[in-house]
Amino acid sequence: MLYSPIMTGTRPIQNLALIGFMGTGKSSVGRLVAQLLHFTYLDTDQVVEFRAHKSIGEIFQQDGEPAFRHWEQVIVEELTQRKKTVISTGGGLPVNQANLDSLKTHALVVCLWACADTIYERVRDHDHRPLIDEVDPLGKIRQLLSIREPYYRQADVLVNTERRSVREVAVQVIHQFHMAHAAHR
Ligand code: S3P
C-alpha cells in the first residue's frame, strides 16, 4: 500500500473526500466507507445528474464539458458546511485547483490510485464515461492520467487500489481517517 504522510496541519477534518481517476473505485469504496463510519454518502456525479435532470453523457453531449465542470464547482462550493459525509468525486474534479483547495478546508482528501492498464481493464466494458469513449481509450487514459497526476498527488493520502478488494481499500481509508481525525481533536 502506498501512503504519503498525513499533512493536514490544523485544519478541521469533518468529512472524507475521495478523489482519483475513473475506475479507481471511488464510488464502491466510498459507499462502504460511509456505511462503516455511519456517515452520509454523497457522489458529486449523482448530484450533478440530479440537478441537471440529465445524465453526464447527455450533459457532455448537449452542453459540453465546461458546463459539466461548472456544475461540479458549484456543488463543491456547497459542501463546505457538511459534516460526517463521505464525498466521492468525479475523476476530473480535482483538476480545478479551486475544487481541491475547497475540499481540503473541511475534508481529509484521499486519492485512490491505479495504473492506466488496470483502469482500462476496469472501465473497458462501461459505456457511461464520455471522456474515454474514444478509438484508443487506453491512450486517452494514459494521457489524462499524466495530466491529472500532479493534482491527485496533492491529496493528503494516496492509497493504491491495485490487487486489493473494495473492502481492503475501505479499511485502509478508514484507518487513515481515524489517524487524521485523532491528530486534530
Ligand atoms: C470524469 C469522470 C467521471 C465523470 C465524468 C468525467 C473525468 O466520474 O465525472 O464522466 O473527467 O474523469 P468517475 O471518475 O466517477 O467515473
Side-chain angles (χ1 to χ4, degrees), residues 70-114:
H70 179 68
W71 279 111
E72 282 188 319
Q73 182 160 2
V74 168
I75 287 155
V76 167
E77 282 163 6
E78 292 172 8
L79 295 174
T80 53
Q81 301 310 314
R82 294 199 75 104
K83 290 198 170 55
K84 296 193 167 199
T85 302
V86 175
I87 302 154
S88 169
T89 62
L93 183 142
V95 174
N96 179 342
Q97 186 70 43
N99 287 342
L100 201 46
D101 293 344
S102 176
L103 289 174
K104 282 193 167 186
T105 64
H106 57 88
L108 182 75
V109 178
V110 176
C111 177
L112 302 188
W113 183 262

Side-chain angles (χ1 to χ4, degrees), residues 7-177:
M7 303 282 281
T8 47
T10 54
R11 61 180 224 244
I13 305 286
Q14 318 270 26
N15 304 305
L16 198 158
L18 293 176
I19 65 169
F21 205 81
M22 302 169 222
T24 52
K26 296 171 303 244
S27 306
S28 37
V29 169
R31 268 192 294 269
L32 183 56
V33 169
Q35 190 192 325
L36 296 172
L37 286 176
H38 303 290
F39 275 26
T40 305
Y41 174 72
L42 184 147
D43 182 323
T44 59
D45 283 344
Q46 282 177 359
V47 179
V48 170
E49 290 186 323
F50 180 78
R51 296 268 179 91
H53 302 290
K54 43 182 131 171
S55 70
I56 289 170
E58 287 167 337
I59 299 172
F60 269 74
Q61 214 171 25
Q62 296 167 15
D63 313 319
E65 184 176 347
F68 174 73
R69 300 299 173 200
H70 179 68
W71 279 111
E72 282 188 319
Q73 182 160 2
V74 168
I75 287 155
V76 167
E77 282 163 6
E78 292 172 8
L79 295 174
T80 53
Q81 301 310 314
R82 294 199 75 104
K83 290 198 170 55
K84 296 193 167 199
T85 302
V86 175
I87 302 154
S88 169
T89 62
L93 183 142
V95 174
N96 179 342
Q97 186 70 43
N99 287 342
L100 201 46
D101 293 344
S102 176
L103 289 174
K104 282 193 167 186
T105 64
H106 57 88
L108 182 75
V109 178
V110 176
C111 177
L112 302 188
W113 183 262
C115 72
D117 294 297
T118 304
I119 289 167
Y120 176 62
E121 285 310 315
R122 290 180 187 168
V123 303
R124 59 188 296 176
D125 297 328
H126 301 185
D127 59 3
H128 62 276
R129 289 178 163 112
L131 281 177
I132 51 170
D133 187 13
E134 299 251 340
V135 199
D136 175 19
L138 178 57
K140 187 67 194 267
I141 290 168
R142 287 204 175 108
Q143 182 201 17
L144 281 176
L145 199 54
S146 72
I147 293 169
R148 292 175 178 185
E149 190 172 338
Y151 297 95
Y152 294 149
R153 288 198 176 275
Q154 292 179 49
D156 299 304
V157 185
L158 205 59
V159 174
N160 190 357
T161 69
E162 299 269 345
R163 293 180 297 279
R164 286 192 161 80
S165 68
V166 168
R167 182 162 284 272
E168 283 173 306
V169 175
V171 166
Q172 290 298 334
V173 169
I174 289 171
H175 175 66
Q176 294 294 324
F177 183 73

